[in-house]
């Protein structure tokens, strides 16, 4: 069992509650900007001058202590023989400690860090998507724009605006079609390698360009169309009894009626990382491909992600990417690559672009997939690190990961990546991962 959407259920954060309805969108967007500015002010910047000096002078006393403790604790942390890990001082780039850091492992949902950073780089934090309605010869088209966190409320507002436009133009609707053609239809040929048949629809829905966030159905577009038809009826637009939604592509000659704007990408990334939303991650992978003028497929999206990571000088030897969520059992990430992704989240050179990654990382013992209610950082010895560690979790039935950042005892940013693959009880593995992260903070 993967956690992805099951993580969302345990966290108790329904996806549909994350994206604002249009009536609230502007306020939430302003809130997002406020949070971003606050993060830039409150999160200590990496002191590059101190980092260079430290790099010349060698490891700090805190780093030497951490390295000695990790050397002793890592082998007995309950992670099994498939364990790998590394810790890096972000300012200097110096490795504090590592073990098999170049060995590829299934990263599970920790791979979402790569998806998030690629999407923010290609599309920009303020990027939004549009869900539109168009009309042609009696047929109304609901056109998906790739918004993976579209809410029922947002769809209702779009229905009301559409009904108003139809009335103003004196247009009669005889049929409703859903247009999700922005993404290729999900088939066996378009499914990422390494995805198991049992993933659908609870862990991830077949990837489409139209659907309600969190919808756990095999055809998210038709499900959204059915709800939209009900909302249209409530707004005074009644379809014929034979007018149940079907799939269809809006012709070029169709007329635009209304649109709904998604939350900004910064907010979607924060949500996706905080609750480990598989559907959002897969949608972002395909939108990232489109942003580079490529086809909206896992293959093209993964190629763009690799290109972006290479631009950040993330080491890619041993890295294999087949999706955006980390569900693929063919995915491989090294601890060296993962720690580089974590370091980017607090690198001041990329703050304007990548700060939503830091904002979206679950906080130890506080929220998201690291909430105390999920038994993370809630007991000794790791409880001393509650509120201090910001990290992305990852979990498959035989893989666990914790990748993130924290301020070390020396007041400097440390990035860490700990991953294990193999038949290790999840509870024991996660307790071990939390303890190692606490070691990096210097509180244990």
């Amino acid at each position: 069992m993967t956690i992805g959407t099951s993580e969302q259920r345990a966290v108790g954060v329904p996806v549909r509650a994350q994206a604002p309805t249009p009536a609230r969108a502007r306020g939430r967007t302003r809130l997002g900007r406020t949070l971003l500015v606050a993060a830039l002010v409150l999160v200590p910047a990496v002191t590059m001058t101190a980092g260079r000096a430290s790099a010349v002078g060698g490891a700090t006393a805190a780093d030497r202590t951490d390295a000695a403790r990790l050397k002793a604790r890592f082998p007995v942390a309950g992670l099994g023989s498939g364990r790998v890990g590394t810790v890096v001082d972000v300012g200097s780039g110096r490795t504090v400690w590592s073990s098999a850091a170049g060995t590829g492992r299934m990263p599970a949902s920790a791979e979402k860090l790569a998806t998030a950073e690629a999407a923010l780089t290609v599309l920009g934090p303020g990027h939004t998507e549009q869900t539109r309605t168009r009309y042609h010869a009696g047929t109304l088209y609901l056109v998906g724009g790739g918004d993976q966190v579209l809410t029922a409320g947002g769809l209702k507002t779009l229905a009301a605006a559409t009904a108003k436009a139809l009335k103003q133009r004196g247009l009669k609707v005889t049929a409703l079609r859903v247009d999700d053609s922005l993404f290729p239809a999900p088939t066996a040929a378009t499914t990422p390698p390494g995805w198991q048949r049992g993933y659908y629809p609870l862990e991830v829905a077949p990837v489409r360009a139209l659907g309600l966030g969190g919808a756990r159905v095999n055809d998210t577009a038709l499900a959204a169309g059915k709800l939209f038809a009900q909302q249209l009826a409530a707004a005074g637009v009644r379809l014929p009894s034979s007018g149940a939604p079907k799939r269809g592509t809006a012709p070029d000659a169709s007329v635009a009626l209304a649109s709904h704007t998604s939350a900004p990408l910064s907010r979607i990334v924060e949500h996706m990382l905080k609750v480990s939303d598989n559907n959002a991650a897969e949608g972002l992978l395909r939108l990232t491909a489109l942003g580079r003028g490529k086809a909206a497929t896992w293959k093209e999206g993964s190629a763009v992600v690799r290109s972006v990571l290479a631009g950040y000088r993330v080491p890619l030897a041993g890295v294999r990417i087949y999706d955006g969520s980390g569900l693929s059992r063919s995915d491989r990430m090294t601890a060296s690559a993962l720690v580089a992704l974590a370091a980017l989240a607090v690198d001041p050179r990329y703050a304007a672009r990548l700060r939503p990654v830091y904002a979206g990382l679950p906080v130890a013992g506080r929220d998201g997939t690291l909430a105390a209610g999920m038994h993370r950082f809630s007991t000794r010895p790791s409880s001393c690190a509650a509120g201090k560690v910001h990290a992305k979790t990852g979990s498959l039935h035989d893989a666990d990961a914790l990748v993130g950042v924290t301020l070390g005892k020396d007041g400097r940013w440390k990035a860490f990546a700990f991953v294990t693959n193999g038949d290790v009880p999840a509870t024991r593995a996660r307790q071990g991962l939390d303890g190692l992260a606490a070691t990096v903070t210097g509180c244990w």
Side-chain angles (χ1 to χ4, degrees):
M1 173 71 70
T2 60
I3 54 178
T5 50
S6 55
E7 266 188 327
Q8 297 164 24
R9 294 193 292 274
V11 173
V13 183
V15 179
R16 295 183 184 181
Q18 300 303 310
T21 62
R24 298 161 54 199
R26 290 187 296 275
R28 289 290 295 274
T29 301
R30 287 194 295 271
L31 174 61
R33 294 193 186 104
T34 301
L35 291 173
L36 178 58
V37 171
L40 290 170
V41 172
L42 296 176
V43 177
V46 179
T47 306
M48 299 305 292
T49 302
R52 301 306 178 200
S54 179
V56 173
T60 65
D63 283 347
R64 290 193 292 271
T65 298
D66 283 353
R69 289 174 176 171
L70 289 167
K71 181 179 180 180
R73 293 172 181 172
F74 189 65
V76 295
L79 302 183
S81 60
R83 61 186 182 271
V84 299
T86 190
V87 178
V88 170
D89 178 82
V90 176
S92 66
R94 183 187 63 251
T95 298
V96 174
W97 166 90
S98 70
S99 177
T103 302
R105 290 286 186 260
M106 288 185 291
S109 287
E111 186 172 295
K112 291 183 174 75
L113 288 170
T115 305
E117 291 174 354
L120 289 165
T121 300
V122 171
L123 301 172
H127 176 83
T128 57
E129 295 296 335
Q130 302 289 320
T131 304
R132 299 179 170 89
T133 51
R134 302 184 68 88
Y135 179 89
H136 181 73
T139 300
L140 179 64
Y141 294 88
L142 176 62
V143 185
D147 183 358
Q148 297 297 306
V149 292
L150 176 65
T151 66
L155 200 62
K156 181 179 180 180
T157 303
L158 178 59
T162 300
K164 182 178 179 180
L166 289 167
K167 182 178 180 180
Q168 288 175 340
R169 300 185 186 202
L171 300 176
K172 183 178 180 181
V173 178
T174 58
L176 175 63
R177 297 288 182 265
V178 294
D179 182 348
D180 59 355
S181 59
L182 184 66
F183 296 171
T187 64
T190 60
T191 299
W195 276 24
Q196 296 183 334
R197 186 173 300 176
Y199 286 166
Y200 295 142
L202 294 181
E203 298 302 330
V204 66
V207 186
R208 301 181 189 275
L210 175 63
L212 294 179
R216 298 185 181 97
V217 295
N218 282 316
D219 198 321
T220 57
L222 290 180
K226 182 178 180 180
L227 176 60
F228 190 66
Q230 296 169 356
Q231 294 171 334
L232 282 173
V237 179
R238 297 190 179 278
L239 298 172
S241 58
S242 60
K246 297 179 181 178
R247 187 167 276 105
T249 302
D252 293 339
S254 60
V255 177
L257 294 179
S259 66
H260 166 72
T261 303
S262 72
L265 179 60
S266 59
R267 297 288 297 176
I268 295 175
V269 163
E270 291 175 26
H271 156 76
M272 184 265 286
L273 294 174
K274 192 72 75 174
V275 302
S276 203
D277 188 326
N278 293 326
N279 291 326
E282 294 303 329
L284 289 183
L285 182 72
R286 286 150 181 80
L287 290 172
T288 300
L290 289 173
R292 282 282 175 88
K294 307 294 184 181
T297 64
W298 70 263
K299 188 172 184 179
E300 295 289 359
S302 297
V304 171
V305 171
R306 288 187 68 93
S307 174
V308 171
L309 299 190
Y312 285 119
R313 297 186 178 180
V314 173
L316 294 176
V319 171
R320 301 205 304 257
I321 301 173
Y322 292 98
D323 60 8
S325 61
L327 285 173
S328 174
R329 299 189 60 77
S330 299
D331 289 332
R332 293 294 183 273
M333 282 276 186
T334 64
S336 294
L338 289 168
V339 82
L341 295 175
L344 287 171
V346 291
D347 191 321
R349 294 174 296 176
Y350 311 117
R353 184 188 309 153
L354 300 182
R355 189 62 67 175
V357 175
Y358 177 84
L361 291 175
V363 181
R366 297 289 188 266
D367 61 18
T369 56
L370 285 181
M374 299 192 72
H375 309 292
R376 303 303 298 260
F377 295 89
S378 58
T379 58
R380 298 178 65 183
S382 64
S383 56
C384 68
K388 300 177 182 179
V389 170
H390 298 244
K392 182 70 195 77
T393 56
S395 183
L396 298 168
H397 70 83
D398 54 356
D400 277 284
L402 191 63
V403 181
V405 295
T406 188
L407 289 174
K409 200 74 170 178
D410 54 9
R412 298 169 58 82
W413 280 112
K414 312 298 176 184
F416 61 85
F418 302 113
V419 184
T420 182
N421 284 184
D423 188 17
V424 179
T427 300
R428 186 175 75 184
R430 292 167 197 172
Q431 288 176 344
L433 293 171
D434 294 353
L436 293 172
T439 301
V440 180
T441 70
C443 71
W444 177 48

